[in-house]
Amino acid sequence: MAVQWPLVVHGVVTLLVVVSFLCGRWPIFRGTFVEKIHYLITYGAYDYFLRFVVAVFGSRGRNCFVAVENYCCERPNPILQIFYLVILGVTYFIIGKSSFRYIPGFYVSEFHWYIGMLAVGVGVLLFLLTSFSDPGTVTAENVSKYVSAYPYDDIIYMEKECSTCKILKPARSKHCGICNRCVARFDHHCGWMNNCIGEKNTRYFMAFLLWHFLICLYGAFVLGLILAGQLKEHKIIYVLTAYYGIDHSFSSLSPHVVQWLLGSYNTQILLIMFLAIISLLLAGFFGYHAHLCLTNTTTNETFKWQDYVSWKRKLNEAKASAAALKAGIQTINEEAKAPESKWRAFFCRSPLQNDDVIVKNNLYDQGIISNICEIIFPLSERKSLFHRKST
């Protein structure tokens, strides 16, 4: 049982950290320790760490740390790319060293050797495609192509010039401060790829997320089959029931089976937990971006719409307050007149009551099928192909 507790504590702490990081700002967790952990992870830990650096190393140490942080977070660099390759390589190495000797097994054929290598190879290929492909860089030579591909909606996108590139800024584009370029249909800058995610590489990015989610599920599933095969080959259920007199029921057998697995195959169980947690993270991230793709919205546009709705709501509230103030002044000026019917005053709508509904009119949402086709076959590429055919 001594082996179980570190694994249980590790799993609970990891799950708590993941849930707090992803869901800490949800209304259901407001005022709870989950929200506090979320704040600690996202803001508090950084602030405390800076105070610690200043206390130990002084202001010079703080400046050195800020310079390193600026390089890692505000400039293009391959640190997270290398980190991804290290995680992938180390995980595959540990799985191979600890579990490949059980293949072929009772439930796992030797075919999974080749499937595993192929799956990792495809994952690396998608990583390279996303990292080194052009996201849709806007230049003076191709700006007209992007302007014709994406019309201005005059709500969150209006015709104007990029103050940095000094060229016309197409709708749905954004100047990336890290890459120092304008990117068409800009979604976000991905540090893991050391590249922007834009019009031309969103398809590779989505394929990368989906494929790695499937790899993690596949790895956890095969490791589970290996453990099930070991239970079968060692006849653990038979030994527990025939020699130890344990009742042949799930509730009676499961604690002893888990104890045997933790004592004999703790590496595989840790790997299954790791892959399951990573698959949950990837599933959430892929689901979020899949929703954006199906509605033809980008992460950048999500924040723009939030700002627009907030501004519109404040504007409506200001108009309602002005109308209420005007009505109040008129009431004071008309005090000498006969009093209005109480029933009429009761049913009269207050000027502060604002029935205007703020509608998010997404000009670029053309339906699920068209939106998916736009991700797979970007508009600028389709127009350029058509132009080449016509010429």
Side-chain angles (χ1 to χ4, degrees):
M1 293 297 291
V3 183
Q4 293 186 35
W5 284 111
L7 293 174
V8 171
V9 171
H10 172 271
V12 170
V13 171
T14 304
L15 183 63
L16 180 62
V17 169
V18 170
V19 171
S20 301
F21 178 72
L22 294 178
C23 314
R25 298 184 65 181
W26 288 11
I28 192 175
F29 294 119
R30 191 168 296 159
T32 64
F33 67 93
V34 174
E35 184 184 34
K36 294 179 180 178
I37 295 175
H38 174 83
Y39 176 80
L40 179 65
I41 295 172
T42 53
Y43 301 104
Y46 176 81
D47 184 50
Y48 289 133
F49 180 75
L50 276 185
R51 293 181 185 180
F52 171 77
V53 170
V54 171
V56 176
F57 302 102
S59 59
R60 183 174 295 181
R62 181 185 182 278
N63 294 336
C64 181
F65 172 76
V66 171
V68 173
E69 178 194 20
N70 182 66
Y71 171 77
C72 295
C73 302
E74 303 296 335
R75 292 173 56 189
N77 63 83
I79 293 176
L80 287 179
Q81 289 176 300
I82 296 171
F83 189 50
Y84 158 78
L85 294 173
V86 169
I87 291 175
L88 185 67
V90 170
T91 304
Y92 187 79
F93 173 77
I94 294 175
I95 290 176
K97 189 173 182 180
S98 64
S99 305
F100 275 12
R101 62 175 177 266
Y102 302 115
I103 301 176
F106 197 87
Y107 295 112
V108 183
S109 68
E110 61 182 11
F111 190 58
H112 288 281
W113 273 341
Y114 309 107
I115 293 180
M117 288 187 288
L118 178 63
V120 172
V122 172
V124 173
L125 177 62
L126 291 172
F127 169 75
L128 295 175
L129 281 173
T130 311
S131 297
F132 298 104
S133 60
D134 177 26
T137 305
V138 181
T139 62
E141 290 74 24
N142 64 14
V143 63
S144 60
K145 177 177 65 176
Y146 288 114
V147 170
S148 61
Y150 299 106
Y152 298 97
D153 63 355
D154 294 326
I155 300 176
I156 59 175
Y157 293 113
M158 287 162 284
E159 186 174 340
K160 62 181 179 179
E161 184 183 84
C162 176
S163 59
T164 306
C165 299
K166 303 302 180 184
I167 59 175
L168 186 63
K169 195 173 183 180
R172 312 197 77 184
S173 68
K174 185 180 186 296
H175 185 89
C176 178
I178 298 176
C179 295
N180 194 29
R181 59 182 173 181
C182 280
V183 177
R185 200 185 179 279
F186 179 88
D187 190 274
H188 69 286
H189 180 90
C190 181
W192 290 97
M193 305 297 173
N194 193 26
N195 196 8
C196 291
I197 305 301
E199 185 206 39
K200 292 185 178 180
N201 65 350
T202 298
R203 50 190 170 181
Y204 304 136
F205 179 70
M206 293 299 294
F208 172 85
L209 292 178
L210 178 61
W211 188 257
H212 281 71
F213 165 69
L214 295 176
I215 286 178
C216 290
L217 283 184
Y218 169 74
F221 177 71
V222 171
L223 288 172
L225 289 180
I226 288 175
L227 295 183
Q230 292 304 301
L231 283 172
K232 194 77 172 178
E233 290 180 7
H234 289 84
K235 299 180 179 179
I236 299 301
I237 304 298
Y238 173 75
V239 171
L240 289 173
T241 54
Y243 291 92
Y244 290 91
I246 297 173
D247 185 42
H248 200 287
S249 64
F250 178 80
S251 59
S252 301
L253 287 172
S254 56
H256 302 280
V257 171
V258 170
Q259 183 178 359
W260 181 80
L261 289 174
L262 289 172
S264 304
Y265 301 96
N266 52 3
T267 302
Q268 284 80 4
I269 291 179
L270 280 174
L271 286 169
I272 291 174
M273 292 174 60
F274 172 75
L275 292 174
I277 291 171
I278 297 299
S279 67
L280 286 175
L281 291 173
L282 290 171
F285 203 45
F286 175 79
Y288 169 73
H289 280 278
H291 170 72
L292 293 180
C293 291
L294 293 176
T295 56
N296 209 335
T297 311
T298 65
T299 303
N300 179 52
E301 289 169 355
T302 299
F303 294 117
K304 282 182 172 290
W305 278 114
Q306 287 176 358
D307 293 340
Y308 171 77
V309 170
S310 176
W311 169 79
K312 196 73 174 175
R313 185 178 292 114
K314 290 178 181 177
L315 182 63
N316 291 344
E317 289 174 357
K319 289 180 179 180
S321 298
L325 180 61
K326 183 178 179 181
I329 294 174
Q330 289 178 350
T331 302
I332 294 174
N333 293 334
E334 296 175 358
E335 283 182 348
K337 294 184 178 181
E340 194 177 89
S341 170
K342 291 184 178 181
W343 286 105
R344 185 178 178 184
F346 179 79
F347 289 107
C348 182
R349 188 171 67 93
S350 170
L352 286 176
Q353 293 176 352
N354 187 18
D355 292 335
D356 294 338
V357 178
I358 303 172
V359 179
K360 175 183 166 184
N361 184 20
N362 185 7
L363 176 67
Y364 312 107
D365 186 359
Q366 301 297 320
I368 293 177
I369 302 299
S370 297
N371 295 340
I372 294 174
C373 290
E374 186 176 321
I375 297 298
I376 300 174
F377 308 106
L379 292 180
S380 62
E381 291 186 354
R382 278 188 266 173
K383 287 182 179 293
S384 62
L385 286 171
F386 177 79
H387 178 72
R388 281 197 288 268
K389 288 179 181 179
S390 62
T391 53

